[in-house]
């Protein structure tokens, strides 16, 4: 939503502009006959951008009663009853904190969620979601509301020095959601907030954790986190006790600072001027995702938005666009460390547009509407050295744990995957269903490595677009990184008189010099430049294309992703590896419905036991399937011991048509049907062999196969169905 929506009417069966500017307002005229009839709550118009152009001021419509939580001007509803002691206290109600909340609500885990802002984000910040993000939120029934909002990115155009470098299909994955979907962060927050309201949860606004401590030896040992929460509007303080604290409070996280966790990395000298607007231009691919690069002036990134708007990221030449380096924030250690939105009033949208025209030359740009959002953004590349406190009671998610380049739309997407990863683990631990010491450390080992790869991938592409020679930080060698940072920081301080508390790296780009790395920063007159650029792009996207969409994200071996057993001379039960995204093939649900395998999965805290049974015609596959189902009924088997239907969701995949399964008595189907546990689902793998679920997963048709899929849709372990001892050993390592 770039601007406030006009009034529409559907009286002719399709959307048309309404003659009534506010058709949603009720009562209309004098039609109200009962004092208890519905009355539309009052709306307010919020200015969406801190700076404006000559075409006016953009506003968006907002209803504080719905979205401002405890700051609602009408007070809090009667059903809201916050507790003094909860399982989880969430500090920060951006997308990552809200994702944790939505997951915990569905697990029956008690929590409270606070945020220092007075309301949800009005405009700006993140604007695209990857397929893996949508696969994750589909578990909560929210994917369609998100992916139908804005355009789907399916093409990329790259121009350099006024000439087309590349225009081709892009962002293609095997996900049902295919590519990158555009939606503003504020809209995502509102979708989550509406969902939480259905769970009787409000965001507690204008509130911060002013202090906290963890004490498991005295006081309330079951709720060892003791946090003081202060309302900045009223000045009131409240002590909340919790089993766990989640710090989702942004790049300048107070929770991370209280834990004294270093935020390793570099602060670059790359600044973006960001404008959401309608532009009038002769550039031929103005509404296509891509970049425009100038060998001399830097780069621009174009992201198509809804209703004809685009987001334009313009790399700023600090020598021509104001005194960024001498701004108040430049000497602020918090900002120098985390980067982000720069409070610099000396830079105007017109100056940023002027810089964009230098980069776009010979094409021209001019404003075609008021600005929906304007910001100056500084890039930092940092990862928290630890994501969790040693006692596993406090955890960091989202920007509190990592910040990086805007390239690849990783910020919001990585944050949601952090939250989804942590939420099911912390939910099980809060209900005393998991061994804290065994399960919770896997959050950091899995998600921190992902953040490191994000910085390497997005940082590499950032340097290509911007022509930067700044080396990538080496997060795989912390001691080397620390030494390198100290050397560079000392050199910068000596030459620029930097603040003694600033432990960052800031290297100024020489715009007119070639890039010795040969990525893109070769001089525009070099006839070999296009070939080198295309070679870089080909190798980069071949290596990282699926990672950029979130579907290539393998986790290392751990208690929840054990090593694959050595081959025994026969094909494995399932070819898909442990610790990877679970494939999601199309399947059939009945003679009247088809869909995807994920559609039959349950969310946290349940594990999916996906039993591939082929046609059930072979003797060995029937034996394997029957052995597995018999074990599910045993009181001492893992299924009954660890929670049964409450903990596990059984999905049987058969290569039969629905009527064959329902009517035939062959292949011992009656016994198999009777052995299926309560709540189990049967799906039919009736597609062609080159695209069916068994081929997608690489199932051994002679034996069948069992795939255990985690609540966050990663593969835990695969096994032969009869090998129930191995499956039990897996779960016993971390579940209670």
């Amino acid at each position: 939503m770039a601007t406030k929506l006009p009034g529409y009417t559907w009286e002719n069966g399709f959307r048309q502009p309404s003659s009534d500017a506010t058709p949603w307002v009720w009562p209309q005229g004098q039609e109200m006959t009962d004092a208890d009839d519905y009355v539309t709550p009052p709306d307010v118009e919020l200015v969406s951008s801190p700076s404006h152009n000559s075409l006016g001021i953009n506003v968006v419509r907002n209803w504080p009663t719905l979205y401002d939580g405890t700051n609602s001007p009408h007070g809090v509803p009667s059903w809201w009853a916050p507790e003094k002691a909860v399982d989880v206290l969430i500090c920060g109600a951006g997308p990552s904190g809200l994702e944790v909340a939505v997951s915990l609500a569905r697990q029956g885990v008690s929590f409270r969620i606070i945020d220092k802002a007075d309301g949800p984000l009005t405009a700006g910040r993140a604007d695209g979601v990857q397929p893996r993000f949508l696969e994750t939120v589909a578990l909560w029934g929210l994917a369609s509301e998100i992916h139908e909002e804005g355009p789907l990115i399916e093409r990329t155009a790259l121009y350099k020095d006024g000439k087309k470098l590349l225009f081709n299909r892009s962002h293609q994955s095997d996900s049902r959601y295919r590519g990158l979907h555009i939606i503003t962060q504020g809209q995502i927050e509102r979708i989550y907030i509406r969902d939480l309201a259905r769970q009787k949860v409000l965001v507690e606004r204008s509130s911060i954790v002013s202090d906290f401590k963890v004490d498991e030896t005295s006081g309330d040992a079951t709720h060892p986190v003791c946090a003081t929460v202060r309302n900045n509007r009223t000045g009131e303080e409240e002590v909340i006790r919790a089993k766990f604290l989640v710090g989702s409070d942004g790049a300048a996280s107070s929770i991370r600072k209280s834990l004294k966790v270093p935020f390793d990395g570099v602060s670059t000298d790359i600044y973006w001027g960001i404008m959401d607007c309608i532009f009038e231009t002769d550039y031929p691919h103005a509404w296509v995702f891509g970049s425009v690069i100038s060998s001399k002036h830097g780069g621009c990134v174009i992201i198509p938005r809804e209703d004809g708007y685009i987001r334009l990221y313009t790399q700023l030449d600090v020598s021509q666009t104001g005194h960024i380096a001498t701004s108040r924030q430049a000497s602020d250690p918090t900002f120098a460390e985390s980067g982000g939105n720069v409070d610099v009033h000396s830079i105007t949208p017109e100056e940023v547009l002027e810089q964009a025209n230098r980069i776009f030359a010979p094409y021209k740009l001019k404003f075609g509407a008021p600005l929906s959002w304007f910001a100056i953004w500084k890039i930092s590349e940092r990862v928290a050295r630890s994501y969790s406190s040693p006692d596993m009671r406090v955890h960091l998610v989202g920007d509190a744990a990592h910040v990086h380049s805007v390239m690849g739309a990783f910020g919001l997407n990585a944050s949601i995957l952090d939250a989804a990863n942590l939420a099911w683990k912390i939910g099980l631990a809060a209900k005393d269903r998991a061994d804290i010491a065994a399960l919770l450390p896997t959050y950091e080992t899995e998600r921190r490595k992902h953040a490191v790869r994000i910085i390497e991938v997005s940082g590499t592409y950032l340097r290509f677009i911007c022509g930067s020679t700044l080396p990538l930080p080496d997060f795989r060698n912390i001691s080397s990184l620390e030494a390198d940072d100290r050397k560079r920081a000392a050199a910068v301080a000596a030459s620029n008189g930097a603040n003694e508390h600033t432990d960052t790296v800031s290297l100024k780009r020489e715009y007119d010099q070639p890039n010795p790395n040969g990525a893109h920063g070769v001089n525009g007159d070099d006839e070999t430049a296009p070939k080198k650029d295309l070679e870089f792009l080909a190798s980069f996207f071949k290596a990282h294309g699926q990672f950029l969409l979130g579907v290539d994200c393998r986790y290392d071996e751990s208690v929840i992703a054990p090593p694959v057993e050595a081959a025994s001379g026969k094909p494995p039960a399932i070819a898909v590896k442990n610790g990877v995204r679970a494939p999601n093939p199309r399947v059939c649900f009945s003679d009247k419905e088809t869909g995807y395998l994920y559609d039959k999965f349950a969310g946290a805290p349940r594990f999916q036991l996906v039993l591939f049974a082929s046609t059930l015609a072979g003797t060995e596959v029937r034996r394997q399937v029957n052995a597995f189902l018999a074990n599910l009924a045993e009181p001492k088997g893992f299924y009954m011991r660890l929670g049964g239907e409450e903990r596990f969701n059984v999905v049987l995949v058969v290569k039969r048509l629905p009527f064959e399964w329902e009517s035939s008595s062959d292949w011992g189907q009656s016994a198999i049907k009777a052995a299926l546990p309560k709540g189990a689902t049967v799906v039919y793998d009736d597609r062609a062999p080159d695209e069916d679920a068994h081929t997608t997963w690489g199932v051994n048709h002679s034996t069948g196969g069992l795939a255990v899929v985690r609540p966050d849709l990663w593969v835990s372990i695969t096994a032969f169905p009869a090998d129930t001892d191995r499956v039990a050993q897996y779960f016993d390592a971390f579940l209670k």
Side-chain angles (χ1 to χ4, degrees), residues 85-89 108-111 223 241-245 430-431:
V86 292
D87 292 326
V88 183
L89 175 61
V109 175
S110 64
F111 65 92
H223 294 75
R241 300 201 70 98
K243 296 176 182 177
F244 299 97
L245 172 63
K431 286 183 166 291

Side-chain angles (χ1 to χ4, degrees), residues 593-649:
E593 183 185 9
T594 66
Y596 289 83
L597 186 60
Y598 281 5
D599 293 338
K600 298 303 178 182
F601 284 3
R606 299 170 76 188
F607 289 81
Q608 327 305 320
L609 304 178
V610 186
L611 180 60
F612 292 93
S614 187
T615 62
L616 281 171
T619 302
E620 177 61 14
V621 71
R622 287 202 305 272
R623 183 192 74 80
Q624 293 266 354
V625 169
N626 281 314
F628 175 77
L629 294 177
N631 183 266
L632 298 188
E634 292 181 6
K636 294 185 178 180
F638 76 89
Y639 183 84
M640 300 298 289
R641 280 191 298 105
L642 298 176
E645 186 183 0
E646 179 186 352
R647 187 68 55 238
F648 303 103
N649 175 43

Side-chain angles (χ1 to χ4, degrees), residues 422-439:
L422 176 64
W424 71 266
K425 298 172 182 177
I426 209 171
L428 286 172
K431 286 183 166 291
D432 199 29
R433 292 292 191 177
D435 183 342
I436 292 177
L439 181 59

Side-chain angles (χ1 to χ4, degrees), residues 222-238:
T222 61
H223 294 75
V225 178
C226 181
T228 300
V229 174
R230 184 177 72 240
N231 186 303
N232 287 335
R233 271 193 167 187
T234 65
E236 295 178 356
E237 291 191 339
E238 178 185 7

Side-chain angles (χ1 to χ4, degrees), residues 61-348:
R61 190 180 296 110
N62 186 57
W63 274 272
T65 39
L66 287 178
Y67 300 117
D68 287 6
T70 53
N71 280 350
S72 168
H74 301 284
V76 299
S78 59
W79 46 257
W80 188 62
E83 301 174 355
K84 296 290 186 182
V86 292
D87 292 326
V88 183
L89 175 61
I90 304 169
C91 179
S96 59
L98 290 167
E99 166 67 20
V100 172
V102 165
S103 177
L104 294 180
R106 284 160 170 78
Q107 296 179 61
V109 175
S110 64
F111 65 92
R112 290 174 67 174
I113 178 168
I114 69 171
D115 193 83
K116 66 180 180 181
D118 296 334
L121 191 67
T122 301
R125 298 194 183 176
D127 55 11
V129 293
Q130 299 167 342
R132 190 54 170 172
F133 172 106
L134 291 164
E135 291 175 347
T136 301
V137 299
L139 292 171
W140 318 133
L142 302 177
S144 61
E145 193 169 359
I146 293 175
H147 82 77
E148 293 170 3
E149 174 82 12
L152 168 66
I153 302 300
E154 295 187 289
R155 297 287 187 275
T156 294
L158 285 169
Y159 275 65
K160 182 180 176 185
D161 296 328
K163 298 178 182 179
K164 183 174 69 177
L165 186 63
L166 172 72
F167 176 54
N168 212 334
R169 295 172 67 246
S170 65
H171 297 83
Q172 304 295 315
S173 76
D174 69 353
S175 171
R176 69 194 301 176
Y177 302 108
R178 293 159 49 195
L180 187 70
H181 292 258
I182 300 303
I183 181 173
T184 65
Q185 180 174 323
Q187 288 293 81
I188 291 175
E189 290 181 12
R190 285 166 172 78
I191 289 169
Y192 276 123
I193 290 167
R194 288 197 296 269
D195 184 88
L196 289 177
R198 299 172 198 131
Q199 323 300 325
K200 296 185 177 181
V201 174
L202 294 180
V203 175
E204 300 176 49
R205 294 289 180 187
S206 309
S207 299
I208 63 169
V209 172
S210 60
D211 183 52
F212 73 89
K213 62 180 180 179
V214 180
D215 187 353
E216 300 190 70
T217 61
S218 63
D220 185 356
T222 61
H223 294 75
V225 178
C226 181
T228 300
V229 174
R230 184 177 72 240
N231 186 303
N232 287 335
R233 271 193 167 187
T234 65
E236 295 178 356
E237 291 191 339
E238 178 185 7
V239 175
I240 300 175
R241 300 201 70 98
K243 296 176 182 177
F244 299 97
L245 172 63
V246 174
S248 50
D249 52 341
S253 170
S254 64
I255 303 299
R256 185 188 68 239
K257 290 180 172 63
S258 295
L259 292 175
K260 298 185 179 350
V261 172
F263 208 25
D264 295 311
V266 300
S267 288
T268 75
D269 70 334
I270 297 173
Y271 290 80
W272 294 106
I274 311 173
M275 300 184 291
D276 286 358
C277 195
I278 295 174
F279 292 91
E280 296 178 6
T281 178
D282 57 351
Y283 174 64
H285 296 295
W287 219 63
V288 174
F289 175 84
S291 299
V292 178
I293 303 168
S294 164
S295 295
K296 183 176 181 180
H297 297 292
C300 285
V301 179
I302 302 168
I303 300 176
R305 295 280 308 280
E306 67 281 9
D307 301 323
Y309 280 74
I310 69 170
R311 172 165 294 181
L312 185 66
Y313 287 88
T314 301
Q315 183 185 0
L316 299 182
D317 183 338
V318 295
S319 67
Q320 300 181 49
T321 52
H323 303 291
I324 298 178
T326 59
S327 71
R328 173 184 58 79
Q329 288 173 312
S331 59
D332 179 348
T334 296
F335 174 75
E337 180 180 66
S338 61
N341 197 8
V342 184
D343 183 16
V344 180
H345 298 293
S346 62
I347 301 176
T348 67

Side-chain angles (χ1 to χ4, degrees), residues 251 256 262-271 333-340 377-385 401-406 448 451-452 454-456 458-460 462-463 468-478 480-490 492 502-508:
R256 185 188 68 239
F263 208 25
D264 295 311
V266 300
S267 288
T268 75
D269 70 334
I270 297 173
Y271 290 80
T334 296
F335 174 75
E337 180 180 66
S338 61
W377 207 265
K378 179 182 180 180
I379 300 299
S380 283
E381 298 170 324
R382 294 186 175 276
V383 178
R385 192 170 301 180
H402 47 79
V403 293
H404 31 72
S405 161
V406 298
R448 190 180 182 280
V452 168
I454 286 173
I455 289 181
E456 292 173 347
S458 66
T460 297
L462 173 76
R463 286 154 176 78
S468 174
T469 60
L470 177 67
L472 282 166
D474 180 10
F475 292 104
R476 300 172 192 270
N477 184 352
I478 293 297
S480 172
L481 178 68
E482 289 177 325
D484 197 35
D485 269 4
R486 285 194 296 270
K487 290 178 183 177
R488 296 185 192 179
V492 171
T502 302
D503 65 342
T504 61
V505 178
S506 180
L507 301 179
K508 187 179 186 306

